[in-house]
Amino acid sequence: MDDRRLPSEPRAGRRRRRGPVQVVGRRRLLVLAAASAIALLLPTRARASVELNTLLVAPNEGELTVEFAVQVSLPRAVEEALQRGVPIYFTAQATLWRSRWYWRDERIARATRRWRVAYQPLTGSWRVALGGLSQNHATLAEAMAAVTRASQWPLAELSRLDPDKRYTVDFSWRLDTSQLPGPMSIGLPGANEFALGIERTVRLD
């Protein structure tokens, strides 16, 4: 008669060796559970994002003007670059097109604004430059508020518009990566985190 034990009947010695392993496994699970609970309690950093809250194209005192407001959450790499004193450029652009059924749309006008944001370590302030004008801000949030909105921004004179034609406006706001120094020279990670922007097209009625 075969005296081998069935697999469903574990040996006593095998059972004794399994006991300590099970205890260690439970302890590890408790440690992982505690770490997960702590991680949930810690504040999390919002992901980088760009949202276009407002975009209006309308006539105003003989001109076609643009009003926009962008809400931005900067990537960590951009904030770190700014803290190190690296200037960051942001560009807004609006292009007016006249629709043509027989050929490509005709560009009527284009307006561009480019802001330069830089940290001033001596004063602890943030300087925003637009053209030949500059202004200091106490916080980065205030500086970003200055470069993410505009009102009554002239795009084209109304006299250039034919009321019998159809027009569209292409709008874009972005971080101007063409103005960045090489990532390796300032010790930053890949430039993918600097690809920040949004585009929108508006049809004029």
Side-chain angles (χ1 to χ4, degrees):
M1 183 176 180
D2 192 357
D3 59 350
R4 289 181 298 177
R5 296 178 181 270
L6 296 176
S8 59
E9 298 178 0
R11 297 179 181 179
R14 189 175 180 181
R15 186 182 303 165
R16 286 194 298 268
R17 288 194 300 270
R18 186 186 300 174
V21 177
Q22 290 178 340
V23 172
V24 173
R26 292 195 186 100
R27 288 177 179 174
R28 289 179 179 174
L29 289 175
L30 290 175
V31 171
L32 291 174
S36 300
I38 294 174
L40 289 174
L41 293 176
L42 292 176
T44 57
R45 184 180 181 83
R47 294 182 178 180
S49 63
V50 181
E51 296 181 5
L52 186 58
N53 293 338
T54 302
L55 179 58
L56 298 175
V57 182
N60 182 30
E61 297 182 356
E63 292 181 318
L64 189 66
T65 62
V66 178
E67 178 181 351
F68 73 90
V70 177
Q71 183 176 348
V72 183
S73 176
L74 292 177
R76 182 185 299 272
V78 176
E79 291 191 7
E80 290 179 351
L82 287 167
Q83 293 286 352
R84 295 180 184 182
V86 179
I88 301 295
Y89 293 79
F90 299 91
T91 299
Q93 189 173 84
T95 305
L96 176 65
W97 300 91
R98 177 184 292 146
S99 300
R100 296 190 294 190
W101 64 269
Y102 58 90
W103 194 243
R104 292 180 299 176
D105 292 351
E106 179 185 6
R107 191 178 78 180
I108 304 302
R110 170 171 290 172
T112 303
R113 282 189 176 182
R114 180 176 289 109
W115 298 268
R116 180 182 186 271
V117 180
Y119 180 61
Q120 309 297 307
L122 295 180
T123 60
S125 61
W126 300 83
R127 177 171 296 176
V128 176
L130 175 62
L133 303 177
S134 63
Q135 185 176 1
N136 291 334
H137 300 270
T139 65
L140 176 58
E142 293 179 2
M144 290 303 301
V147 306
T148 54
R149 62 193 63 198
S151 61
Q152 298 182 0
W153 178 20
L155 176 57
E157 297 180 356
L158 292 178
S159 58
R160 301 181 59 184
L161 275 66
D162 187 341
D164 297 327
K165 303 293 183 180
R166 301 178 64 180
Y167 297 87
T168 58
V169 173
D170 288 341
F171 171 83
S172 67
W173 183 97
R174 61 186 175 87
L175 189 157
D176 194 348
T177 55
S178 66
Q179 301 293 327
L180 289 174
M184 296 301 295
S185 65
I186 54 178
L188 294 177
N192 291 337
E193 294 188 58
F194 291 82
L196 193 69
I198 194 169
E199 298 179 351
R200 192 68 52 84
T201 298
V202 177
R203 177 176 294 178
L204 305 183
D205 296 330

